[in-house]
Amino acid sequence: MLIDNHNRVINYLRLAVTDRCNLRCNYCMPSEGINFVKKDKLLSIDELKRVALIAVEQGIEKIRITGGEPFVRKDVMELLRYLSNLDGLKDISITTNATLIGPYIQELKELGITNINVSLDAIEKATFERITRRKQFETVYGNLVKLINEGFNVRINFIVLENQNEGDILSILDWFKNYPVSIRFLEEMPFNGGTKGFSSIKWNYKAILEHIRTVYPNFNKLEVPVTATAINYQIEGHTATFGIIPSFSRTFCGSCNRLRITATGDIITCLYGKPKANLRTFLRNTANNSEIGGILKQVISNRAKTGFEAQEEHSKVFDNSMTSIGG
């Protein structure tokens, strides 16, 4: 079991398989993209398998595959097949922009990997194209509907962006009201590759909730696990639920159970902090699984208490793009 220096049990790993993405969302990176790492710096599929095995041996029970966009990586299904047969791993999930997932939906279902988070920051096509700088709305929406119809547990992640997509907050709730999905509204974070800096936001979690209340005053708060990042609700008469994630306000740090490992092997114990170690060299040299497990334990034993404390340690953390951090 991995227990940090604040007595929090760490049992959830967000494992990035690539830093590349086929969209260019304006809150994530510049239009020309970022300096993606060279292929030899990325962990191989065999190395990612080994990281997953070691993490599970150390007490990780849930692994979320992230990117960049995971399905940009052509061999990602090999990893997912391995994870689906990994003893001790109780939950496998994926975060995707849903542009490339289509051909893999049936196999994912057969593997039992049914927890899919789809990033969708607009329900209006023009707004979607303006934010993503790509014409992929029909593909994303088509794959999203297919996932829902195939019985996947779908959560839609919608980052609320000032002067960009506020008009779609209520629209997306109405659009999916009869679908068994969860729509999660996230506060914007400054991980945008240095394109914009800010120290406060208009659309914090309280403002988002009050905006929803103006049209949908009757909703109930739902019970969630103590480690959940979202505050969840259900509007009366809606099949869908909605959640609000205070990702910038960071109100959930006290129960954080997450660990991140990037596609290059960096271990990140807090999204707002710098990497604490890198596993790539150890994986490629002579370190055995026990030694690498020891590195995980050592890193976990020195976590910041909150995202604000982690941010103080690394003043330039916001120069990073979310696609290089691993979500």
Side-chain angles (χ1 to χ4, degrees):
M1 185 177 291
L2 292 169
I3 301 177
D4 74 4
N5 48 314
H6 303 288
N7 207 35
R8 296 173 293 202
V9 175
I10 311 304
N11 58 7
Y12 175 11
L13 170 64
R14 299 178 69 96
L15 182 60
V17 298
T18 181
D19 65 336
R20 288 162 172 76
C21 186
N22 56 329
L23 301 182
R24 292 292 180 270
C25 297
N26 62 28
Y27 59 82
C28 183
M29 68 176 89
S31 59
E32 66 275 14
I34 61 172
N35 292 322
F36 298 113
V37 299
K38 294 182 178 180
K39 187 175 181 180
D40 65 334
K41 300 296 184 184
L42 295 174
L43 297 184
S44 69
I45 287 297
D46 284 343
E47 288 166 344
L48 288 165
K49 289 178 183 178
R50 190 177 172 201
V51 167
L53 172 63
I54 294 168
V56 171
E57 289 175 344
Q58 295 299 322
I60 293 295
E61 298 177 325
K62 174 180 179 177
I63 293 179
R64 175 173 296 281
I65 297 301
T66 69
E69 166 49 42
F71 292 98
V72 165
R73 184 153 182 168
K74 303 299 184 184
D75 51 4
V76 68
M77 288 305 299
E78 181 183 342
L79 174 63
L80 291 168
R81 294 180 197 113
Y82 173 81
L83 294 179
S84 70
N85 289 298
L86 184 55
D87 290 339
L89 184 57
K90 298 179 180 179
D91 188 344
I92 306 164
S93 52
I94 302 170
T95 294
T96 174
N97 61 31
T99 56
L100 303 171
I101 197 174
Y104 308 107
I105 289 175
Q106 192 57 45
E107 184 177 1
L108 289 170
K109 186 176 180 180
E110 292 168 359
L111 292 174
I113 301 173
T114 56
N115 293 326
I116 309 291
N117 284 14
V118 174
S119 300
L120 181 65
D121 303 308
I123 199 62
E124 295 295 332
K125 179 181 176 182
T127 306
F128 174 91
E129 292 180 353
R130 190 163 54 248
I131 292 172
T132 64
R133 304 187 181 108
R134 295 293 186 270
K135 297 182 182 300
Q136 291 281 342
F137 179 79
E138 288 85 357
T139 299
V140 171
Y141 184 73
N143 285 331
L144 176 56
V145 171
K146 186 174 182 181
L147 287 165
I148 295 169
N149 289 338
E150 289 291 334
F152 284 75
N153 175 31
V154 175
R155 296 190 293 192
I156 298 170
N157 288 345
F158 181 113
I159 299 177
V160 181
L161 307 165
E162 185 175 358
N163 299 323
Q164 292 199 69
N165 63 356
E166 301 108 319
D168 282 20
I169 296 173
L170 298 174
S171 297
I172 200 168
L173 287 171
D174 184 62
W175 197 290
F176 288 102
K177 65 182 179 182
N178 296 319
Y179 290 89
V181 300
S182 175
I183 302 159
R184 288 124 55 90
F185 299 101
L186 288 78
E187 295 176 342
E188 184 180 6
M189 294 175 284
F191 299 103
N192 50 46
T195 60
K196 181 177 67 171
F198 52 86
S199 58
S200 62
I201 53 173
K202 173 185 176 182
W203 289 100
N204 61 33
Y205 69 102
K206 294 178 181 179
I208 296 168
L209 187 62
E210 288 309 307
H211 182 66
I212 292 170
R213 198 189 303 274
T214 61
V215 172
Y216 297 110
N218 299 316
F219 53 77
N220 300 309
K221 190 174 182 179
L222 305 176
E223 290 189 12
V224 296
V226 67
T227 55
T229 56
I231 309 163
N232 291 334
Y233 305 88
Q234 186 162 31
I235 297 167
E236 290 185 11
H238 284 206
T239 301
T241 62
F242 76 90
I244 300 177
I245 300 180
S247 41
F248 184 76
S249 299
R250 288 163 265 184
T251 62
F252 46 71
C253 295
S255 59
C256 180
N257 65 338
R258 291 159 174 76
L259 177 70
R260 289 174 169 81
I261 298 179
T262 72
T264 59
D266 280 339
I267 307 174
I268 298 176
T269 60
C270 176
L271 187 59
Y272 285 86
K274 63 182 179 181
K276 296 294 186 180
N278 185 281
L279 293 179
R280 188 178 61 242
T281 301
F282 296 98
L283 290 165
R284 294 181 181 179
N285 291 340
T286 58
N288 59 40
N289 287 9
S290 178
E291 290 171 323
I292 294 173
I295 295 169
L296 292 179
K297 287 181 178 178
Q298 181 180 2
V299 167
I300 288 297
S301 70
N302 187 32
R303 293 181 82 211
K305 187 173 183 179
T306 69
F308 297 103
E309 181 181 303
Q311 182 183 336
E312 290 177 0
E313 299 175 3
H314 188 27
S315 61
K316 294 187 177 181
V317 66
F318 296 141
D319 290 345
N320 296 323
S321 166
M322 186 64 78
T323 191
S324 65
I325 299 172

